[in-house]
PDB file of all heavy atoms in Angstrom:
ATOM      1  N   ARG A  81       7.143  16.630  10.845  1.00 68.00           N
ATOM      2  CA  ARG A  81       7.774  16.608  12.099  1.00 68.00           C
ATOM      3  C   ARG A  81       9.275  16.319  11.978  1.00 68.00           C
ATOM      4  O   ARG A  81      10.120  16.974  12.609  1.00 68.00           O
ATOM      5  CB  ARG A  81       7.097  15.539  13.081  1.00 68.00           C
ATOM      6  CG  ARG A  81       7.612  15.548  14.460  1.00 68.00           C
ATOM      7  CD  ARG A  81       6.806  14.513  15.247  1.00 68.00           C
ATOM      8  NE  ARG A  81       7.177  14.495  16.628  1.00 68.00           N
ATOM      9  CZ  ARG A  81       6.713  13.580  17.470  1.00 68.00           C
ATOM     10  NH1 ARG A  81       5.859  12.694  17.051  1.00 68.00           N
ATOM     11  NH2 ARG A  81       7.070  13.593  18.699  1.00 68.00           N
ATOM     12  N   ILE A  82       9.624  15.298  11.187  1.00 69.00           N
ATOM     13  CA  ILE A  82      10.995  15.028  10.956  1.00 69.00           C
ATOM     14  C   ILE A  82      11.744  16.148  10.324  1.00 69.00           C
ATOM     15  O   ILE A  82      12.898  16.515  10.617  1.00 69.00           O
ATOM     16  CB  ILE A  82      11.101  13.729  10.076  1.00 69.00           C
ATOM     17  CG1 ILE A  82      10.644  12.532  10.827  1.00 69.00           C
ATOM     18  CG2 ILE A  82      12.541  13.512   9.614  1.00 69.00           C
ATOM     19  CD1 ILE A  82      10.499  11.231  10.019  1.00 69.00           C
ATOM     20  N   SER A  83      11.060  16.817   9.361  1.00 64.00           N
ATOM     21  CA  SER A  83      11.655  17.961   8.666  1.00 64.00           C
ATOM     22  C   SER A  83      11.951  19.099   9.720  1.00 64.00           C
ATOM     23  O   SER A  83      12.986  19.745   9.655  1.00 64.00           O
ATOM     24  CB  SER A  83      10.691  18.481   7.638  1.00 64.00           C
ATOM     25  OG  SER A  83      11.238  19.643   6.997  1.00 64.00           O
ATOM     26  N   ASN A  84      10.995  19.323  10.621  1.00 59.00           N
ATOM     27  CA  ASN A  84      11.183  20.346  11.673  1.00 59.00           C
ATOM     28  C   ASN A  84      12.368  19.990  12.563  1.00 59.00           C
ATOM     29  O   ASN A  84      13.122  20.872  13.016  1.00 59.00           O
ATOM     30  CB  ASN A  84       9.962  20.507  12.518  1.00 59.00           C
ATOM     31  CG  ASN A  84       8.814  21.208  11.728  1.00 59.00           C
ATOM     32  OD1 ASN A  84       9.094  21.953  10.754  1.00 59.00           O
ATOM     33  ND2 ASN A  84       7.572  20.955  12.144  1.00 59.00           N
ATOM     34  N   TYR A  85      12.460  18.675  12.931  1.00 55.00           N
ATOM     35  CA  TYR A  85      13.612  18.278  13.767  1.00 55.00           C
ATOM     36  C   TYR A  85      14.958  18.638  13.079  1.00 55.00           C
ATOM     37  O   TYR A  85      15.898  19.068  13.707  1.00 55.00           O
ATOM     38  CB  TYR A  85      13.549  16.779  14.037  1.00 55.00           C
ATOM     39  CG  TYR A  85      12.725  16.403  15.268  1.00 55.00           C
ATOM     40  CD1 TYR A  85      11.462  15.936  15.174  1.00 55.00           C
ATOM     41  CD2 TYR A  85      13.333  16.509  16.537  1.00 55.00           C
ATOM     42  CE1 TYR A  85      10.723  15.630  16.315  1.00 55.00           C
ATOM     43  CE2 TYR A  85      12.590  16.182  17.688  1.00 55.00           C
ATOM     44  CZ  TYR A  85      11.308  15.763  17.549  1.00 55.00           C
ATOM     45  OH  TYR A  85      10.571  15.442  18.656  1.00 55.00           O
ATOM     46  N   GLN A  86      14.966  18.327  11.752  1.00 53.00           N
ATOM     47  CA  GLN A  86      16.217  18.609  11.055  1.00 53.00           C
ATOM     48  C   GLN A  86      16.552  20.081  10.943  1.00 53.00           C
ATOM     49  O   GLN A  86      17.653  20.530  11.057  1.00 53.00           O
ATOM     50  CB  GLN A  86      16.130  17.996   9.648  1.00 53.00           C
ATOM     51  CG  GLN A  86      16.172  16.441   9.694  1.00 53.00           C
ATOM     52  CD  GLN A  86      15.914  15.844   8.290  1.00 53.00           C
ATOM     53  OE1 GLN A  86      15.286  16.434   7.448  1.00 53.00           O
ATOM     54  NE2 GLN A  86      16.500  14.657   8.099  1.00 53.00           N
ATOM     55  N   GLU A  87      15.410  20.881  10.652  1.00 50.00           N
ATOM     56  CA  GLU A  87      15.655  22.310  10.434  1.00 50.00           C
ATOM     57  C   GLU A  87      15.973  23.051  11.750  1.00 50.00           C
ATOM     58  O   GLU A  87      16.722  23.974  11.796  1.00 50.00           O
ATOM     59  CB  GLU A  87      14.423  22.878   9.752  1.00 50.00           C
ATOM     60  CG  GLU A  87      14.251  22.412   8.366  1.00 50.00           C
ATOM     61  CD  GLU A  87      12.965  22.900   7.765  1.00 50.00           C
ATOM     62  OE1 GLU A  87      12.291  23.780   8.426  1.00 50.00           O
ATOM     63  OE2 GLU A  87      12.632  22.533   6.616  1.00 50.00           O
ATOM     64  N   GLN A  88      15.258  22.693  12.826  1.00 52.00           N
ATOM     65  CA  GLN A  88      15.352  23.390  14.094  1.00 52.00           C
ATOM     66  C   GLN A  88      16.269  22.700  15.112  1.00 52.00           C
ATOM     67  O   GLN A  88      16.418  23.198  16.220  1.00 52.00           O
ATOM     68  CB  GLN A  88      13.977  23.578  14.692  1.00 52.00           C
ATOM     69  CG  GLN A  88      13.001  24.289  13.772  1.00 52.00           C
ATOM     70  CD  GLN A  88      11.631  24.370  14.379  1.00 52.00           C
ATOM     71  OE1 GLN A  88      11.445  24.446  15.617  1.00 52.00           O
ATOM     72  NE2 GLN A  88      10.569  24.322  13.550  1.00 52.00           N
ATOM     73  N   GLU A  89      16.818  21.539  14.755  1.00 62.00           N
ATOM     74  CA  GLU A  89      17.655  20.793  15.660  1.00 62.00           C
ATOM     75  C   GLU A  89      16.889  20.457  16.918  1.00 62.00           C
ATOM     76  O   GLU A  89      17.364  20.566  18.004  1.00 62.00           O
ATOM     77  CB  GLU A  89      18.917  21.472  16.012  1.00 62.00           C
ATOM     78  CG  GLU A  89      19.832  21.705  14.818  1.00 62.00           C
ATOM     79  CD  GLU A  89      21.172  22.286  15.149  1.00 62.00           C
ATOM     80  OE1 GLU A  89      21.357  22.684  16.335  1.00 62.00           O
ATOM     81  OE2 GLU A  89      22.095  22.354  14.347  1.00 62.00           O
ATOM     82  N   LEU A  90      15.585  20.019  16.737  1.00 67.00           N
ATOM     83  CA  LEU A  90      14.764  19.628  17.883  1.00 67.00           C
ATOM     84  C   LEU A  90      15.249  18.291  18.440  1.00 67.00           C
ATOM     85  O   LEU A  90      15.736  17.470  17.699  1.00 67.00           O
ATOM     86  CB  LEU A  90      13.348  19.528  17.461  1.00 67.00           C
ATOM     87  CG  LEU A  90      12.678  20.861  16.952  1.00 67.00           C
ATOM     88  CD1 LEU A  90      11.265  20.655  16.584  1.00 67.00           C
ATOM     89  CD2 LEU A  90      12.760  21.961  18.074  1.00 67.00           C
ATOM     90  N   HIS A  91      15.103  18.111  19.744  1.00 80.00           N
ATOM     91  CA  HIS A  91      15.496  16.890  20.354  1.00 80.00           C
ATOM     92  C   HIS A  91      14.319  16.324  21.199  1.00 80.00           C
ATOM     93  O   HIS A  91      13.754  17.053  22.027  1.00 80.00           O
ATOM     94  CB  HIS A  91      16.705  17.125  21.256  1.00 80.00           C
ATOM     95  CG  HIS A  91      17.872  17.683  20.558  1.00 80.00           C
ATOM     96  ND1 HIS A  91      18.722  16.912  19.781  1.00 80.00           N
ATOM     97  CD2 HIS A  91      18.337  18.942  20.486  1.00 80.00           C
ATOM     98  CE1 HIS A  91      19.678  17.654  19.257  1.00 80.00           C
ATOM     99  NE2 HIS A  91      19.462  18.888  19.707  1.00 80.00           N
ATOM    100  N   SER A  92      13.929  15.123  20.926  1.00 86.00           N
ATOM    101  CA  SER A  92      12.853  14.484  21.683  1.00 86.00           C
ATOM    102  C   SER A  92      13.362  13.873  22.982  1.00 86.00           C
ATOM    103  O   SER A  92      14.528  13.399  23.022  1.00 86.00           O
ATOM    104  CB  SER A  92      12.109  13.466  20.881  1.00 86.00           C
ATOM    105  OG  SER A  92      12.953  12.350  20.638  1.00 86.00           O
ATOM    106  N   LEU A  93      12.591  13.880  24.013  1.00 92.00           N
ATOM    107  CA  LEU A  93      12.890  13.208  25.254  1.00 92.00           C
ATOM    108  C   LEU A  93      11.687  12.356  25.545  1.00 92.00           C
ATOM    109  O   LEU A  93      10.669  12.855  26.016  1.00 92.00           O
ATOM    110  CB  LEU A  93      13.200  14.194  26.386  1.00 92.00           C
ATOM    111  CG  LEU A  93      13.543  13.522  27.737  1.00 92.00           C
ATOM    112  CD1 LEU A  93      14.821  12.693  27.625  1.00 92.00           C
ATOM    113  CD2 LEU A  93      13.715  14.612  28.813  1.00 92.00           C
ATOM    114  N   LYS A  94      11.786  11.052  25.322  1.00 94.00           N
ATOM    115  CA  LYS A  94      10.633  10.096  25.404  1.00 94.00           C
ATOM    116  C   LYS A  94      10.606   9.553  26.875  1.00 94.00           C
ATOM    117  O   LYS A  94      11.568   8.788  27.255  1.00 94.00           O
ATOM    118  CB  LYS A  94      10.718   9.062  24.398  1.00 94.00           C
ATOM    119  CG  LYS A  94      10.674   9.614  22.925  1.00 94.00           C
ATOM    120  CD  LYS A  94      10.684   8.510  21.912  1.00 94.00           C
ATOM    121  CE  LYS A  94      12.027   7.855  21.715  1.00 94.00           C
ATOM    122  NZ  LYS A  94      13.041   8.759  21.194  1.00 94.00           N
ATOM    123  N   ILE A  95       9.571   9.917  27.625  1.00 95.00           N
ATOM    124  CA  ILE A  95       9.487   9.614  29.030  1.00 95.00           C
ATOM    125  C   ILE A  95       8.360   8.627  29.247  1.00 95.00           C
ATOM    126  O   ILE A  95       7.217   8.862  28.891  1.00 95.00           O
ATOM    127  CB  ILE A  95       9.250  10.889  29.845  1.00 95.00           C
ATOM    128  CG1 ILE A  95      10.366  11.909  29.595  1.00 95.00           C
ATOM    129  CG2 ILE A  95       9.130  10.523  31.323  1.00 95.00           C
ATOM    130  CD1 ILE A  95      10.099  13.249  30.147  1.00 95.00           C
ATOM    131  N   GLY A  96       8.651   7.525  29.952  1.00 94.00           N
ATOM    132  CA  GLY A  96       7.597   6.567  30.336  1.00 94.00           C
ATOM    133  C   GLY A  96       7.224   6.720  31.821  1.00 94.00           C
ATOM    134  O   GLY A  96       8.063   6.997  32.631  1.00 94.00           O
ATOM    135  N   TYR A  97       5.970   6.506  32.088  1.00 92.00           N
ATOM    136  CA  TYR A  97       5.539   6.565  33.486  1.00 92.00           C
ATOM    137  C   TYR A  97       4.253   5.725  33.591  1.00 92.00           C
ATOM    138  O   TYR A  97       3.634   5.358  32.626  1.00 92.00           O
ATOM    139  CB  TYR A  97       5.236   8.000  33.933  1.00 92.00           C
ATOM    140  CG  TYR A  97       4.077   8.645  33.214  1.00 92.00           C
ATOM    141  CD1 TYR A  97       2.804   8.725  33.787  1.00 92.00           C
ATOM    142  CD2 TYR A  97       4.144   9.206  31.942  1.00 92.00           C
ATOM    143  CE1 TYR A  97       1.695   9.304  33.183  1.00 92.00           C
ATOM    144  CE2 TYR A  97       3.131   9.727  31.269  1.00 92.00           C
ATOM    145  CZ  TYR A  97       1.928   9.754  31.904  1.00 92.00           C
ATOM    146  OH  TYR A  97       0.880  10.392  31.194  1.00 92.00           O
ATOM    147  N   MET A  98       3.867   5.399  34.858  1.00 86.00           N
ATOM    148  CA  MET A  98       2.743   4.509  35.055  1.00 86.00           C
ATOM    149  C   MET A  98       1.462   5.207  35.410  1.00 86.00           C
ATOM    150  O   MET A  98       0.390   5.005  34.787  1.00 86.00           O
ATOM    151  CB  MET A  98       3.034   3.470  36.144  1.00 86.00           C
ATOM    152  CG  MET A  98       1.973   2.314  36.129  1.00 86.00           C
ATOM    153  SD  MET A  98       2.372   1.065  37.369  1.00 86.00           S
ATOM    154  CE  MET A  98       1.878   1.900  38.886  1.00 86.00           C
ATOM    155  N   ASP A  99       1.484   6.069  36.411  1.00 81.00           N
ATOM    156  CA  ASP A  99       0.287   6.702  36.861  1.00 81.00           C
ATOM    157  C   ASP A  99       0.249   8.201  36.487  1.00 81.00           C
ATOM    158  O   ASP A  99       1.319   8.849  36.579  1.00 81.00           O
ATOM    159  CB  ASP A  99       0.162   6.505  38.386  1.00 81.00           C
ATOM    160  CG  ASP A  99      -1.289   6.816  38.872  1.00 81.00           C
ATOM    161  OD1 ASP A  99      -1.629   7.971  39.002  1.00 81.00           O
ATOM    162  OD2 ASP A  99      -2.090   5.851  39.054  1.00 81.00           O
TER     163      ASP A  99
END
Side-chain angles (χ1 to χ4, degrees):
R81 188 177 181 185
I82 291 171
S83 176
N84 288 337
Y85 270 101
Q86 292 176 329
E87 291 175 6
Q88 303 176 32
E89 294 185 353
L90 299 179
H91 303 281
S92 67
L93 181 61
K94 299 184 285 295
I95 303 169
Y97 66 99
M98 191 179 76
D99 196 282

